[in-house]
């Protein structure tokens, strides 16, 4: 190879094969935030009566949910301007399509799930005071019918998201352990 060809070859960047630190940071910060908000949501609603602890946990759940929403907005904006690495070589086309579909749905749900929780709170007539410091706007007029509808929507979208996350995580583990194509290591670099 003459020197011009060498220069041309090195000027063409090879496609990245793993996620960047920013992508990994967003992924796990939001994933663990959602696990915590989901667990807290189930726990707080299982407490009988109207105790001070229950009220405190409802507030924590809302603050955590609002924080997840803010992170999700940043993540989607960041992702819109930064491509993901290509799927592992030899991945069947249907699997690549299924993974991309699941990722799009998850991006949508990490935005919509907190929004339904927030709107439910407004419709139920309970303002959200973020971290106990800032009263966020009441975006929906209090109404029993709207509140009931938003509550069911919040709950069912949560279970839909949980089902997709389970399949998503199992698929990642199957690729890592059975196919041994390093898919999970792309998001968990210490595995490589
Ligand atoms: C990604 C973020 C969120 C997740 C994963 C999440 C998850 C959950 C879960 C699992 C429940 C219990 C559902 C059940 O009864 O089976 C719940 C309930 C609830 N969530 Fe969220 N939530 C999120 C964000 C929010 C936000 C931002 C708000 C409000 C600002 C909110 C307000 C509520 C309220 C008020 C309930 C109680 C519903 C009831 O009275 O039964 N959530 N959430
Ligand atoms: C609430 C929990 C989770 C959410 C919302 C979520 C969401 C996402 C999204 C949106 C992507 C696509 C990233 C992109 O290409 O822009 C992704 C990728 C990925 N996630 Fe998750 N995830 C969650 C939990 C998990 C768990 C528990 C695991 C593993 C056990 C996991 C493993 C992975 C892996 C390996 C990738 C990269 C897939 C590839 O290389 O094509 N995720 N996740």
């Amino acid at each position: 190879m003459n020197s011009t060809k060498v220069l041309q070859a090195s000027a063409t960047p090879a496609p990245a094969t793993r996620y960047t630190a920013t992508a990994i940071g967003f992924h796990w910060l939001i994933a663990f935030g959602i696990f915590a908000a989901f667990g807290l949501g189930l726990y707080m609603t299982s407490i009988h009566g109207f105790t001070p602890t229950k009220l405190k946990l409802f507030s924590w759940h809302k603050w955590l949910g609002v924080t997840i929403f803010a992170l999700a907005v940043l993540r989607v904006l960041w992702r819109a301007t930064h491509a993901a690495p290509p799927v592992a070589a030899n991945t069947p086309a249907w699997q690549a399509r299924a993974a991309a579909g699941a990722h799009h749905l998850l991006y949508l749900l990490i935005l919509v799930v907190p929004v339904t929780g927030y709107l439910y709170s407004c419709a139920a007539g309970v303002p959200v005071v973020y971290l106990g410091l800032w009263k966020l706007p009441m975006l929906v007029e209090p109404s029993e019918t709207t509140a009931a509808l938003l509550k069911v929507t919040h709950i069912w979208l949560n279970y839909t998201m949980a089902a997709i996350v389970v399949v998503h995580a199992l698929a990642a583990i199957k690729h890592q352990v059975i196919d041994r194509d390093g898919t999970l290591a792309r998001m968990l670099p210490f595995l490589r």
Side-chain angles (χ1 to χ4, degrees):
M1 221 190 263
N2 65 35
S3 59
T4 323
K5 278 192 179 148
V6 170
L7 266 178
Q8 277 171 349
S10 60
T12 315
T17 52
R18 45 161 295 187
Y19 283 91
T20 60
T22 314
I24 294 172
F26 269 135
H27 180 273
W28 292 112
L29 198 57
I30 292 177
F32 283 108
I34 287 177
F35 296 150
F38 192 91
L40 191 52
L42 292 184
Y43 178 67
M44 70 188 193
T45 49
S46 74
I47 298 173
H48 293 293
F50 213 59
T51 67
T53 310
K54 186 171 181 174
L55 281 180
K56 187 176 73 185
L57 295 181
F58 265 61
S59 294
W60 288 0
H61 177 81
K62 293 177 186 185
W63 302 343
L64 184 55
V66 170
T67 310
I68 293 169
F69 175 74
L71 286 170
V73 170
L74 290 179
R75 182 178 182 191
V76 168
L77 290 176
W78 181 86
R79 179 63 174 80
T81 51
H82 297 77
V87 288
N90 305 329
T91 306
W94 73 267
Q95 276 185 22
R97 274 200 302 275
H103 295 167
H104 278 103
L105 274 177
L106 287 171
Y107 276 128
L108 190 68
L109 286 165
I110 59 177
L111 292 167
V112 175
V113 165
V115 167
T116 54
Y118 185 82
L119 295 180
Y120 164 55
S121 225
C122 298
V126 187
V128 179
V129 185
Y130 187 61
L131 304 178
L133 295 173
W134 298 284
K135 183 172 176 282
L136 303 183
M138 290 286 265
L139 298 178
V140 177
E141 288 291 309
S143 141
E144 266 185 36
T145 336
T146 319
L149 188 71
L150 283 164
K151 178 173 157 176
V152 172
T153 312
H154 186 57
I155 293 173
W156 280 103
L157 285 181
N158 258 296
Y159 286 109
T160 308
M161 179 165 72
I164 298 173
V165 166
V166 168
V167 177
H168 168 75
L170 287 177
I173 293 167
K174 182 253 180 199
H175 273 278
Q176 181 72 24
V177 177
I178 297 173
D179 303 338
R180 297 187 177 274
D181 60 11
T183 296
L184 189 51
R186 282 149 56 102
M187 256 320 166
L188 276 181
F190 67 81
L191 284 181
R192 64 184 62 239

